[in-house]
Amino acid sequence: MNQESFNPFSMAQLQFDHVADILDLDKAVRDLLRNPMREYAFNIPVRMDDGSVNIFRGFRVQHNDARGPCKGGIRFHPLETMDTVRALSMWMTWKCAVVDIPLGGGKGGVIADPHNLSAREQEQLCRGWVRQLARNIGPISDIPAPDVMTSAQHMLWMLDEYEAIHGGKMPGFITGKPVGMGGSLGRTEATGFGVIYTVREALKQLSIRPEDTVASVQGFGNVAQYAIRLYTQIGGTVICVSCWNQNDQTSYSFRKKEGIDLDALLDITDRFGEIDKAKAKELGYEILPGEAWIEQEVDIPLPAALENQISAETVVNINPRVRAIVEAANGPTTPDADKVIAERNIFLIPDFLANAGGVTCSYFEQVQSNMNYYWEKDEVLGKLDVKMTSAFIAVSELAQKRNLHMRDAAYVIAVGRVAQACRDRGWV
Ligand code: GLU
């Protein structure tokens, strides 16, 4: 995929302009919502293990906080850009609104590849990121969380730095913390499980039994792994997964037509979600090019990696058998490809609805952290299911009632709520 010419923020704005027309928003609301409210870009000096100092570029974007404090993850990625963070922060605003949790949208990032950093260097990077922002983020203004290539350990280092700067214990500052250190049970599973709660509801609506469906998954990180776990539990079969290979700097797809064995694959996967190619071959997997995941003869392609994966170029490869595309990643489908999907009448569960389980559980984690009282896992996942299911039903009912594509219906609900909050506050 051509990542160089792709700009996620232009895409997010294009999607916004389209829904602004549907909602007939006035100019002030459009101007307010099509750009972030606040943006921070800064240098993070890190003393490396060899004694030299590397300067990393960090970002935080607060898109909108009319409905509550900004909320959203921090991504470590070598190709991170300000525009990627802007797009992701805007999608966070819509995500929190569509599931109706009292939070706004934010996102952070660092241009860094944790594959090449020791644990100590990563700790310094996390602490440095917080030091640069300590006065601009916090439990009542902007609450970070994990995203691509950041983990519970990173969140704990960040919390520790924030608490050292401000004094006192403030576990509500950040979510995705380790369980036992202010984290919520179920947070690790939440995004992937949330995706499958929406898949379960979509299949009900389409009168398809999960047992009769087959899926192909792009990505094998946290979201993909737990989505595969629950999808398999409800009866589905995954025949293909793809993942990045750091050594070869390319992706591969791993296919087993009778169905992949999640636990066996997890045994040969590293902490970045990279499956060992040689060992997979020994286990009988066919190794195919990275793009192969999208061409598979399946009912459900499930992108769970990065932006810009289903584009005008690749959408033509979607198999005629496909019934529903489930966007577990943020921004995987470009507006050009979206049109083709709508024309082909393929059901779509749009990203900021499908993957809202993570932030919904983050919200539960914040509530628990602030009360200093922690729920059982079943209680967390039960509440998550209720939130995801009701958000899905609201979107699909609106789509049917107004004959809208699912993405447009989700946008109408989310943007409508945020616009209303801005008006109610007297901002516009
Ligand atoms: N990074 C996740 C997302 O894109 C979770 C954000 C959060 O929990 O705040 O939704």
Side-chain angles (χ1 to χ4, degrees):
M1 330 268 139
N2 188 357
Q3 291 296 111
E4 271 111 70
S5 60
F6 170 73
N7 184 326
F9 186 47
S10 307
M11 169 170 149
Q13 287 188 317
L14 208 67
Q15 291 174 336
F16 171 75
D17 292 341
H18 175 63
V19 73
D21 289 342
I22 300 178
L23 282 168
D24 198 20
L25 295 181
D26 60 45
K27 183 169 176 323
V29 180
R30 282 179 201 240
D31 289 350
L32 181 66
L33 295 180
R34 87 189 289 284
N35 283 296
M37 300 205 63
R38 285 174 295 274
E39 303 184 342
Y40 305 93
F42 43 90
N43 286 342
I44 311 170
V46 171
R47 171 93 43 206
M48 308 300 279
D49 292 348
D50 67 4
S52 66
V53 174
N54 263 12
I55 311 296
F56 292 87
R57 194 73 182 150
F59 309 101
R60 185 74 182 172
V61 176
Q62 297 167 348
H63 173 258
N64 187 279
D65 55 7
R67 289 174 44 87
C70 295
K71 185 81 191 81
I74 303 164
R75 178 179 290 193
F76 287 173
H77 198 278
L79 302 179
E80 190 68 315
T81 64
M82 183 52 131
D83 273 345
T84 311
V85 182
R86 287 184 175 121
L88 291 163
S89 75
M90 195 192 258
W91 289 327
M92 284 309 301
T93 303
W94 314 141
K95 196 180 295 191
C96 294
V98 83
V99 283
D100 207 6
I101 53 177
L103 294 167
K107 200 80 177 197
V110 178
I111 306 174
D113 189 347
H115 285 96
N116 308 326
L117 299 173
S118 71
R120 195 200 63 83
E121 290 164 345
Q122 291 180 48
E123 177 179 347
Q124 293 314 306
L125 188 56
C126 289
R127 291 184 184 278
W129 190 90
V130 170
R131 276 201 296 276
Q132 295 304 320
L133 279 170
R135 272 150 212 88
N136 307 107
I137 54 178
I140 56 167
S141 57
D142 183 4
I143 304 118
D147 197 77
V148 172
M149 288 205 271
T150 49
S151 65
Q153 174 65 76
H154 295 115
M155 300 305 111
L156 188 56
W157 285 325
M158 289 184 170
L159 174 67
D160 190 66
E161 189 66 24
Y162 187 84
E163 291 179 338
I165 292 170
H166 289 283
K169 297 294 165 197
M170 294 162 221
F173 157 65
I174 204 161
T175 61
K177 302 179 290 293
V179 171
M181 292 299 291
S184 173
L185 290 167
R187 177 64 186 86
T188 316
E189 293 88 340
T191 315
F193 277 20
V195 169
I196 302 305
Y197 297 147
T198 68
V199 169
R200 182 195 64 205
E201 294 307 307
L203 292 178
K204 246 188 240 168
Q205 191 181 308
L206 298 167
S207 305
I208 304 172
R209 293 179 341 139
E211 302 87 305
D212 298 333
T213 64
V214 173
S216 171
V217 177
Q218 185 195 34
F220 201 55
N222 169 268
V223 179
Q225 290 173 12
Y226 284 100
I228 295 170
R229 167 86 63 216
L230 189 60
Y231 174 65
T232 319
Q233 273 169 19
I234 67 170
T237 306
V238 174
I239 61 156
C240 185
V241 293
S242 78
C243 68
W244 179 248
N245 185 291
Q246 181 69 7
N247 229 354
D248 300 354
Q249 289 289 301
T250 188
S251 311
Y252 295 103
S253 299
F254 299 78
R255 183 170 70 181
K256 203 176 232 182
K257 286 206 165 137
E258 63 274 28
I260 65 151
D261 177 341
L262 177 63
D263 289 314
L265 274 185
L266 286 175
D267 282 345
I268 58 166
T269 299
D270 74 8
R271 71 199 156 98
F272 298 107
E274 179 177 327
I275 302 168
D276 186 310
K277 235 169 46 174
K279 289 185 183 150
K281 217 169 194 167
E282 275 167 33
L283 292 176
Y285 286 85
E286 293 171 77
I287 318 281
L288 307 170
E291 309 83 67
W293 74 276
I294 204 175
E295 302 156 10
Q296 300 305 308
E297 196 190 332
V298 294
D299 308 280
I300 306 175
L302 198 147
L306 293 171
E307 309 82 42
N308 190 28
Q309 301 302 308
I310 306 182
S311 61
E313 278 160 55
T314 57
V315 72
V316 289
N317 299 329
I318 289 178
N319 198 277
R321 172 170 169 174
V322 166
R323 299 295 306 272
I325 297 175
V326 181
E327 297 181 335
N330 290 312
T333 308
T334 64
D336 293 356
D338 235 357
K339 280 191 201 127
V340 179
I341 291 166
E343 276 157 25
R344 280 179 58 179
N345 217 6
I346 299 173
F347 192 86
L348 175 95
I349 313 182
D351 49 3
F352 66 88
L353 170 64
N355 69 30
V359 74
T360 303
C361 193
S362 275
Y363 164 58
F364 296 153
E365 177 176 333
Q366 234 208 335
V367 171
Q368 296 169 79
S369 286
N370 291 339
M371 291 190 299
N372 206 8
Y373 173 75
Y374 290 86
W375 309 335
E376 297 303 323
K377 190 172 185 172
D378 284 354
E379 193 177 346
V380 175
L381 293 176
K383 284 182 164 52
L384 182 66
D385 196 346
V386 170
K387 273 276 179 210
M388 294 301 294
T389 301
S390 47
F392 176 87
I393 290 173
V395 171
S396 72
E397 280 181 359
L398 185 73
Q400 283 167 23
K401 198 168 105 202
R402 292 195 35 197
N403 197 21
L404 292 170
H405 194 39
M406 281 287 283
R407 189 184 315 279
D408 290 344
Y411 261 116
V412 165
I413 292 178
V415 175
R417 283 181 182 154
V418 178
Q420 194 55 44
C422 295
R423 285 188 212 105
D424 290 348
R425 282 180 181 272
W427 290 355
V428 278

